[in-house]
């Protein structure tokens, strides 16, 4: 460990636990769709719209959260996110009006996720972990988010079954406050002194530079598709399976399997990113997702086919996260990593908004999810194509000058 750097073990342990809680809870929201809408007499579109707002708020506010974390450090951002998460979960349990529900489950929890998930944790990893291990470390953190899904989704199903859907949300509101103490482990020593001593770009210059770089725009386009696919599947697959006559436990098990297998998938993507071209890893992930969905829709539906699909999708689920964020750090350096990562993630969340909202809207209009499934397939093919032309070389700023921290 170099002077003024946190222990890599401490960074990865605390970061992994934070992501496990934050991502683990949100991966189970689809389990509340039917009990909550049935209790209030709402159409599925009301729930889907709130989840869509959540994803959009997460993406939009993630840019600002990243800017604050890059400027003043992640500690206050993580604490604020934990408090907003608890308030949002409590509001989600107590809301009786769709508009109030959209504000609590949507805006509040979206803001909370902006301050407690990958962009913030990856900013610390980028600054505290050496460049030669950075992609691997990001894979470890992403694997933790997947383990959170494996751990938390069955727990959330159990809480709904034994406490009822409202009390289950209130229990999670208490649990998520643990993010605050864990944030102490990511409090970077001499953060302000280091930033004052190191000459860096201004925020707006860094943003203009990124948006003027073709590879950054292509990365954003691919990440839009990632959001569309995973959030549509995560939120709507439980109801899709129940509509097809399968038991609720099949959906809970499938979501847990996605989380379990993505522990391996995200870790592998991060490790491979140290040796292989990250753009090719991303193109392969998107292409394989489309193949997996085509096969799933083509074979007879059964618990076995669902579990195989969940395992395959699990390997591909969040495995886009480490190579995407490692590419941002590799091309632009780490000085504005949380902010630029948040901007790329905003594109992901616009895709998430489209996927979850269209899922609810088209189901209510047509009584089927078929159109959205096939749209997810087509977008996966497109995402594979747009990632291949990305240039991975560090951006040169002026004569022979490479961005600080570029790998």
């Amino acid at each position: 460990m170099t002077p003024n750097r946190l222990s890599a073990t401490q960074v990865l342990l605390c970061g992994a636990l934070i992501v496990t809680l934050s991502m683990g809870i949100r991966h189970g929201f689809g389990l509340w769709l039917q009990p909550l809408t049935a209790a209030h007499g709402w159409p599925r579109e009301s729930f889907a719209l709130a989840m869509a707002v959540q994803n959009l708020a997460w993406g939009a506010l993630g840019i600002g959260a990243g800017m604050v974390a890059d400027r003043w450090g992640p500690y206050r951002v993580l604490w604020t996110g934990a408090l907003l998460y608890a308030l949002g979960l409590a509001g989600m349990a107590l809301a009786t009006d769709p508009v109030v529900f959209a504000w609590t489950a949507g805006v509040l929890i979206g803001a909370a996720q902006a301050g407690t998930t990958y962009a913030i944790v990856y900013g610390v990893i980028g600054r505290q972990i050496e460049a030669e291990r950075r992609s691997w470390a990001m894979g470890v953190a992403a694997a933790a988010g997947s383990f959170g899904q494996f751990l938390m989704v069955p727990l959330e199903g159990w809480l709904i079954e034994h406490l009822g859907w409202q009390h289950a949300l209130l229990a999670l509101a208490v649990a998520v406050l643990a993010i605050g103490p864990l944030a102490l482990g990511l409090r970077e020593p001499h953060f302000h002194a280091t930033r004052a001593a190191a000459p860096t770009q201004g925020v707006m210059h860094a943003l203009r530079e990124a948006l003027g770089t073709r590879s950054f725009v292509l990365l954003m386009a691919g990440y839009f598709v990632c959001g569309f696919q995973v959030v549509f599947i995560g939120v709507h697959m439980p109801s899709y399976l129940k509509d097809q006559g399968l038991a609720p436990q099949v959906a809970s098990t499938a979501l847990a399997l996605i989380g379990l297998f993505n522990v391996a998938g995200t870790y592998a993507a991060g490790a491979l990113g140290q040796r292989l071209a990250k753009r090719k890893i991303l193109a392969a992930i998107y292409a394989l997702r489309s193949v997996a969905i085509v096969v799933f829709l083509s074979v007879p539906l059964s618990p076995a086919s669902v579990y195989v699909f969940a395992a395959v999708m699990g390997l591909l689920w969040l495995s886009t996260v480490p190579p995407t964020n490692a590419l941002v750090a590799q091309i632009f350096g780490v000085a504005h990593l949380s902010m630029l990562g948040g901007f790329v993630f905003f594109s992901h969340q616009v895709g998430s908004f489209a996927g979850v909202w269209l899922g609810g809207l088209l189901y209510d209009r047509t009584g089927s999810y078929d159109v959205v499934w096939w749209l997810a397939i087509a977008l996966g093919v497109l995402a594979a194509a747009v990632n291949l032309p990305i240039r991975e070389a560090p951006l040169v700023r002026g004569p022979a000058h490479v961005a600080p921290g570029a790998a």
Side-chain angles (χ1 to χ4, degrees):
M1 183 175 67
T2 58
N4 297 334
R5 268 194 170 162
L6 299 174
S7 151
T9 301
Q10 176 180 318
V11 169
L12 292 178
L13 179 61
C14 293
L17 289 172
I18 288 169
V19 172
T20 293
L21 268 174
S22 184
M23 294 296 293
I25 289 173
R26 62 99 49 191
H27 276 308
F29 282 153
L31 300 177
W32 271 270
L33 190 157
Q34 290 200 0
L36 192 151
T37 54
H40 293 306
W42 297 345
R44 290 186 190 183
E45 187 182 354
S46 295
F47 186 93
L49 181 60
M51 294 298 106
V53 169
Q54 178 189 112
N55 282 282
L56 198 59
W58 181 6
L61 297 173
I63 299 170
M67 289 179 182
V68 172
D70 284 335
R71 178 65 181 85
W72 287 289
Y75 179 69
R76 294 180 181 87
V77 175
L78 288 165
W79 254 113
T80 302
L83 293 172
L84 289 175
Y85 218 142
L87 288 172
L89 288 166
M92 188 174 171
L94 301 174
T96 57
D97 178 81
V99 175
V100 176
F101 184 75
W103 275 99
T104 55
V107 177
L108 276 183
I109 294 181
Q113 290 165 350
T116 57
T117 50
Y118 293 116
I120 307 304
V121 173
Y122 278 177
V124 182
I125 290 175
R127 289 184 292 269
Q128 299 296 323
I129 306 293
E130 296 84 356
E132 59 270 16
R133 295 199 297 159
R134 190 181 295 144
S135 179
W136 165 81
M138 289 179 176
V140 171
S146 303
F147 181 75
Q149 181 173 355
F150 171 70
L151 177 71
M152 295 297 296
V153 170
L155 175 61
E156 290 171 67
W158 184 89
L159 288 172
I160 292 171
E161 182 180 353
H162 290 84
L163 301 181
W165 66 267
Q166 284 181 305
H167 288 98
L169 286 166
L170 294 173
L172 292 175
V174 175
V176 80
L177 290 172
I179 288 174
L182 288 168
L184 284 168
L186 301 184
R187 200 167 192 175
E188 298 170 88
H190 311 296
F191 180 84
H192 298 288
T194 301
R195 285 196 56 85
T200 60
Q201 298 170 292
V203 169
M204 294 311 298
H205 183 273
L207 185 56
R208 284 195 301 269
E209 177 184 72
L211 292 175
T213 304
R214 180 170 177 260
S215 293
F216 187 78
V217 176
L218 293 175
L219 203 59
M220 289 177 62
Y223 227 27
F224 171 93
V225 176
C226 181
F228 186 100
Q229 292 173 326
V230 300
V231 177
F232 164 66
I233 293 171
V235 172
H236 289 286
M237 191 167 74
S239 295
Y240 171 77
L241 298 178
K242 190 171 182 180
D243 290 343
Q244 301 298 317
L246 297 182
Q249 291 79 10
V250 175
S252 297
T253 303
L255 292 176
L257 284 171
I258 288 174
L260 177 63
F261 277 83
N262 201 221
V263 174
T266 49
Y267 181 83
L272 287 172
Q274 297 294 148
R275 299 191 296 274
L276 303 178
K278 298 173 185 66
R279 70 186 188 280
K280 293 182 179 178
I281 295 172
L282 288 169
I285 291 168
Y286 290 122
L288 289 171
R289 281 185 187 175
S290 291
V291 172
I293 297 172
V294 168
V295 173
F296 176 61
L297 296 178
S298 301
V299 302
L301 188 66
S302 67
S305 72
V306 172
Y307 299 152
V308 171
F309 174 69
V312 173
M313 285 300 295
L315 292 171
L316 308 169
W317 193 251
L318 295 178
S319 50
T320 57
V321 175
T324 297
N325 285 272
L327 270 175
V328 174
Q330 183 168 320
I331 296 170
F332 299 101
V334 300
H336 296 283
L337 180 55
S338 289
M339 184 270 289
L340 292 178
F343 210 91
V344 174
F345 192 67
F346 175 67
S347 178
H348 181 285
Q349 295 308 93
V350 174
S352 300
F353 177 94
V356 72
W357 178 63
L358 279 175
L361 177 67
L362 292 177
Y363 179 88
D364 286 341
R365 298 292 189 273
T366 68
S368 169
Y369 288 114
D370 289 351
V371 174
V372 192
W373 279 118
W374 287 100
L375 186 55
I377 293 166
L379 287 172
V381 174
L382 177 64
V386 301
N387 272 275
L388 287 174
I390 289 174
R391 297 185 73 249
E392 302 190 19
L395 192 67
V396 176
R397 301 182 179 96
H401 176 66
V402 179

